[in-house]
Amino acid sequence: MPYDFTTWDRNCQEEQATPIQGNTSGSLPPWLRGAYIINGPGRMTYGDSEFLHVFDGSAILQKYNIGETGVTYSSRFLKSYAFMTNSESEQIVVSEFGTKGCSAAKSKLAKLGDKFAFDKMFSDNAPVSLVRYGEDYYATTESPFVHKIDPSTLETISKVDLHKELSINSVCPHPVPQPDGTVFSIIHGVGAMGPKYDVVSFPAKPLEGKSTVFAKPQKIGSVDARWKFNPCHMHTFGVTPNYVVLLEQPLTIDVKAMVANTIREKPFIGGMEWMENKLVKIHLIERSTGKEVKTKVKCEPFFYLHIINTYEMNDQVVIDICGYDKPNLLHALFIEKIRMKGPSLADEIEGGYVKRIIVPLNVMKESSPDTNLVTLPGSKATALRQKDGVVLLKPETICNTVYENPTINPSKSGQPYRYYWGAEGAFKENCGKVGKVDMESGNVMTWQEENFFSAEAHFVPRPGAVAEDDGVVLVPGLFGGARRNETMLVILNAADMTEIYRSTFSLPSDASRALHGIFIPA
Ligand SMILES: [Fe+2]
């Protein structure tokens, strides 16, 4: 059965604020209680105007609450400035990733100066993920706006403008929480040498005299962008016990085009540039000193959004990624293309893969260009020191099919690990599978149901578990074809991928594709 791209062409017009019961089968593990909240684009139209790209939809928060009597579902739109302005104007006013909005200055809500205010020029719609900072939960995106939400009601409480607080232009939507409650992130700013990436740590509690954890992040280190007018798109990064790992991929943001697009009120995607045949530059920043490891390290080209995990072993840093040859995926998901091309759209999207990159830490000047510096047993990855001193990496392919939105046992973050779980990303197939990937063997164990398309799966360890895969995988998702207004949560045994529980819900409007989520234990 071909991939059903209509599952991306959904338009949720009505939230489900009151929790509803579903049709269930199976039984919940007695230890599993909490809320799985997912975030993603939801509402696609305002009046007669419609967003052009899937990722432009106004964020909707969807919650599967796992309680004593079963699972309930509820949803609320994120009440961003963009959402409120578009709603009250009954048209798309604020430009998004792939859609030009009509000028805020022309809208009936316009105030003097709005057109040139950063927080009015750039959308604060945040449909990418949910992150815990301090004691609170926030909806995030790539722009410097995060929204505090109430996880019990899904109400939007307040907005934090990180551009105003920290003078930054964009922020990583996937910060990396640490065991002590601090949260590492990458913020993009401009230094004396042009664009730069600052690695920062937000504290677990507001510092003395400060009201929020965002007030004064600790700076861990900084890296200048390799191209002065083209900082790289950096959706995720890695943190190991001793290093922060940044991958500068060939997908860049053309600053000049971006400024021109902003003035002309054109969408963001027009400012993204793929630097054909350019290598991926890898930066390792030492956490204790903030200094970058001096050896220049580059890897053969790939496009990526998600790093699965990074860890250190035997004086080497291992970087596992969900990779692609090119970023065609971003350009394929325009609503018009989906409607015109149907299943044949799959021909335009590169198949992904799971790759392992290994960076040697102690590189001797005497190393011959013929000597593979990767010494991990059984690895097929290579690292060759070139005559100019650059270490050139070739990854090992672990799996020829990508499983996206990776989730691992949280105790293994930054540590050696064996398994990850994700949703299959091969658009030429049905693509509804959830896979458990064995990173040692490359073998994949899958679960799937005809016509069901999973959003981000999430691994929850069983309390007291010893084995890495002892727990469950939460799989939210939606259905293709005519079942547009149904959503389902499936709970799988993480070890053998067998189904142990499901609950299906009928919604008042289209079920929406979610991108990422967070599990909050009860
Ligand atoms: Fe992501």
Side-chain angles (χ1 to χ4, degrees), residues 227 230 249-254 271-278 280 301-304 324-328 331:
W227 295 301
N230 285 74
Q249 64 177 328
L251 181 65
T252 69
I253 297 154
D254 181 337
M272 299 193 88
E273 184 178 0
W274 175 250
M275 311 282 258
E276 191 73 36
N277 298 324
K278 293 293 183 187
V280 176
F302 59 82
F303 161 68
Y304 82 102
Y324 304 81
D325 287 341
K326 291 183 180 180
N328 297 356
H331 296 277

Side-chain angles (χ1 to χ4, degrees), residues 276-441:
E276 191 73 36
N277 298 324
K278 293 293 183 187
L279 301 174
V280 176
K281 191 171 181 184
I282 298 177
H283 303 272
L284 300 181
I285 299 167
E286 205 170 39
R287 289 173 58 177
S288 60
T289 63
K291 290 184 177 163
E292 188 177 352
V293 171
K294 282 184 180 165
T295 309
K296 286 186 179 170
V297 181
K298 292 184 179 176
C299 182
E300 61 180 37
F302 59 82
F303 161 68
Y304 82 102
L305 289 169
H306 299 119
I307 293 175
I308 302 163
N309 199 11
T310 51
Y311 61 89
E312 299 163 33
M313 184 176 273
N314 300 350
D315 282 336
Q316 286 148 94
V317 172
V318 178
I319 307 165
D320 292 336
I321 60 151
C322 295
Y324 304 81
D325 287 341
K326 291 183 180 180
N328 297 356
L329 174 68
L330 300 180
H331 296 277
L333 293 179
F334 279 94
I335 296 295
E336 189 181 1
K337 271 194 178 182
I338 290 172
R339 290 175 188 165
M340 281 178 59
K341 302 208 167 183
S344 69
L345 185 56
D347 297 335
E348 297 184 15
I349 305 174
E350 300 276 336
Y353 36 70
V354 179
K355 293 222 175 186
R356 171 162 287 175
I357 302 156
I358 300 179
V359 184
L361 286 168
N362 296 318
V363 179
M364 303 295 182
K365 283 183 180 169
E366 310 78 56
S367 295
S368 145
D370 302 322
T371 305
N372 185 8
L373 301 173
V374 173
T375 59
L376 295 186
S379 176
K380 296 187 182 73
T382 61
L384 305 175
R385 187 182 185 277
Q386 310 298 291
K387 285 180 181 167
D388 61 1
V390 172
V391 175
L392 193 57
L393 308 183
K394 196 174 166 70
E396 173 184 4
T397 302
I398 302 286
C399 177
N400 274 316
T401 300
V402 72
Y403 290 84
E404 265 293 359
N405 293 2
T407 176
I408 63 171
N409 186 317
S411 70
K412 298 292 182 183
S413 179
Q415 302 291 331
Y417 72 118
R418 181 162 176 183
Y419 303 109
Y420 95 89
W421 294 262
E424 187 187 23
F427 288 93
K428 288 184 180 167
E429 298 174 32
N430 184 303
C431 214
K433 284 179 193 162
V434 182
K436 174 193 182 187
V437 182
D438 182 337
M439 297 298 288
E440 276 185 18
S441 67

Side-chain angles (χ1 to χ4, degrees), residues 128 174 235 306 516:
V128 177
H174 292 295
H235 191 74
H306 299 119
H516 298 289

Side-chain angles (χ1 to χ4, degrees), residues 432-472:
K433 284 179 193 162
V434 182
K436 174 193 182 187
V437 182
D438 182 337
M439 297 298 288
E440 276 185 18
S441 67
N443 294 334
V444 183
M445 203 181 276
T446 61
W447 174 92
Q448 107 182 93
E449 172 152 314
E450 192 73 27
N451 202 32
F452 176 75
F453 296 83
S454 59
E456 179 172 85
H458 187 87
F459 175 83
V460 183
R462 186 179 63 80
V466 176
E468 182 182 335
D469 56 354
D470 185 353
V472 297

